[in-house]
Amino acid sequence: MSRRLSVHDRGVVLMASVTATTSSAGSLPEAKAIDGFLAVSLLAVLAVSVRAIWFTPVDAMLGAAQKIFYMHVPAAIVGLYISCSLLAIASILYLWIKDERLDRLAEASAEIGLLFMGIVLVTGPVWARTSWGTWWVWEARITSTLFLWLLVLGYLVLRGAVESPESRARLSAVMGSLAALLVPFIHLTVRLFRGMHPGPVVLKPEKPSLPPEMLLTFLMAIVAYILLFFALLRVRMRWAALRDARAVLENA
Amino acid sequence: MSAQHTAPDFLADALRIARKDLLIEFRTRSAFLAATVFAVLAVVIFRFTWDPTAIPAFDLAPGVLWVIFTFSGLLGLNRSFGLELSERAYDGLLASQVSREAIFAGKVLANLAFVSGVQALTLPAVALFFDLQVGSGWGVLIGVVFCASLGLAAVGTLFAAVASNTRMAELLLPMMTLPFFVPLVIPAAQTSAVILRGQPLADAMPWFKLLLAFDLVFVTACLVVFPFTIEE
């Protein structure tokens, strides 16, 4: 995750940028204390949360608990669809092209995806308790999310257990590529059980069933979460590039 | 398969590798005994945590079977590449004429034989201790067990190769493989349940098709990506 660079790190960055032309890390990103894109996306998430809590009508049927929806669904879109797709694509491409930037993309997508999937898995039961009367049900989409979360966790543990950067990239790309094939199977397997998770409310063939105010908040939330995801991804990839450059220098 | 190798060569190489692994296992018998003892102990523990008046045997048995098969299989998988890493035997294997795909296929065959051996002892034990009336379903049940074991062996062997490159292979292997075993274990348990209840197999057809599709996709995919697990 992102962190402020220490004086030592700054020195390393300086040295790294001097040797950047010869190092395999390529051109190094600039180290900045505050990332503009991240700040804007955090503000957007904050603004949309304020709008959702105070300025969007309370659902007549589900009450205040429905507001979790503005966090739960955008986090699911980002964590399950965007980050898992990026992890899969980056892993498959890495085995093919062997570009270390793809490895860093896979690593960053997995880590940030795990965070967003975590949000989904925490907000889901809170909502289910008030609406279904139970914390957890073994329903198709919930179960798939849990398995995906475990899968990505396993992927990250594997990354942590390999010392050499080249082996780490290669072995984790093997797991990432296989995971891409596994997702449809997990989906099919758990779909064969009957589900009670609410169906799509926005992406339906007929008109969205949300009132316009709620729909607007919801769409804004999706945009804000996507922004936050890419801002975190950028910071995380930049950090990984610095770490790799430092490793190159230390081994030189 | 590399271009200069023909299909019979590939199969012969794979069988030679499998034979070598099984011979080592046969001479030491350590992993096989450990997996079998584990399986029987698990049956006993399940028997004593089970209330027969609450859950009928044929409802509990499929779960018991597949929990035991999965975990006893894992015990054998760790050994698969650990064997090669001692005394750097793996380097010799890689330096030989055998293609990487044939090495993988051989390892899968050896692991499949290992798992099947454990199952051959566990299945009757579960049937005996849980008093299951399998009757004419034995053939179908063995077929289902074999299909699921093939997928388990293929995915497990690949991840055993991946894990053997890490500092904590024994811990990492279950973490990586168990999510992959979900689309195998759920359909296998569901199909076994249908057989044990004496229902027609047609009731379990969607599950069985899923099992076959998993085997087809993952045996191929693991064969393709296996060479990437080897240090050049």
Side-chain angles (χ1 to χ4, degrees), chain A residues 127-147:
Chain A
W127 179 84
R129 179 74 187 141
T130 52
S131 303
W132 294 338
T134 176
W135 292 104
W136 187 267
V137 284
W138 287 99
E139 183 276 339
R141 268 191 272 183
I142 304 170
T143 313
S144 333
T145 309
L146 179 66
F147 282 130

Side-chain angles (χ1 to χ4, degrees), chain A residues 13-164:
Chain A
V13 171
L14 199 68
M15 276 160 63
S17 43
V18 173
T19 51
T21 42
T22 50
S23 91
S24 61
S27 64
L28 279 166
E30 237 179 287
K32 275 185 283 187
I34 299 170
D35 184 80
F37 185 19
L38 183 62
V40 168
S41 62
L42 279 172
L43 278 177
V45 169
L46 190 69
V48 92
S49 307
V50 169
R51 185 188 153 93
I53 295 169
W54 283 290
F55 302 100
T56 305
V58 175
D59 189 281
M61 298 271 290
L62 298 166
Q66 180 270 341
K67 303 220 185 236
I68 283 177
F69 166 83
Y70 302 115
M71 188 183 200
H72 180 76
V73 182
I77 291 172
V78 170
L80 294 170
Y81 299 104
I82 302 181
S83 77
C84 288
S85 312
L86 277 179
L87 169 61
I89 295 167
S91 299
I92 293 169
L93 285 179
Y94 179 84
L95 288 184
W96 192 20
I97 311 174
K98 300 261 153 95
D99 186 327
E100 61 191 37
R101 279 173 299 182
L102 287 167
D103 176 53
R104 290 199 283 267
L105 175 62
E107 179 188 19
S109 310
E111 246 178 39
I112 299 163
L114 193 75
L115 174 75
F116 281 98
M117 278 187 248
I119 295 177
V120 176
L121 287 173
V122 170
T123 52
V126 172
W127 179 84
R129 179 74 187 141
T130 52
S131 303
W132 294 338
T134 176
W135 292 104
W136 187 267
V137 284
W138 287 99
E139 183 276 339
R141 268 191 272 183
I142 304 170
T143 313
S144 333
T145 309
L146 179 66
F147 282 130
L148 270 179
W149 188 82
L150 288 169
L151 191 68
V152 175
L153 194 64
Y155 171 88
L156 289 172
V157 173
L158 169 66
R159 291 197 71 97
V162 189
E163 302 235 342
S164 126

